[in-house]
Amino acid sequence: GGGRGEVDSAVYSANRFGRDHQYGVQGNLQNSVWETSNVYHDNNEPAR
């Protein structure tokens, strides 16, 4: 999320991700919080 300066901060929580993605599930989070409730859909492991 972010990267272009349009968000001062954000909280990312309770998102579910598949494994078929081109880029990582997180990035450019300097002023944001990435919670462990963000998980992979197939095994509920934290997505990082």
Side-chain angles (χ1 to χ4, degrees):
R4 294 179 292 199
E6 61 273 310
V7 176
D8 291 331
S9 67
V11 175
Y12 298 91
S13 65
N15 295 288
R16 300 183 70 78
F17 295 91
R19 299 281 181 170
D20 186 20
H21 48 79
Q22 183 174 0
Y23 303 101
V25 296
Q26 67 179 7
N28 301 322
L29 300 175
Q30 302 91 311
N31 298 324
S32 299
V33 175
W34 183 270
E35 295 186 353
T36 58
S37 61
N38 295 304
V39 297
Y40 285 108
H41 184 70
D42 61 353
N43 64 3
N44 290 319
E45 293 291 318
R48 299 172 205 194

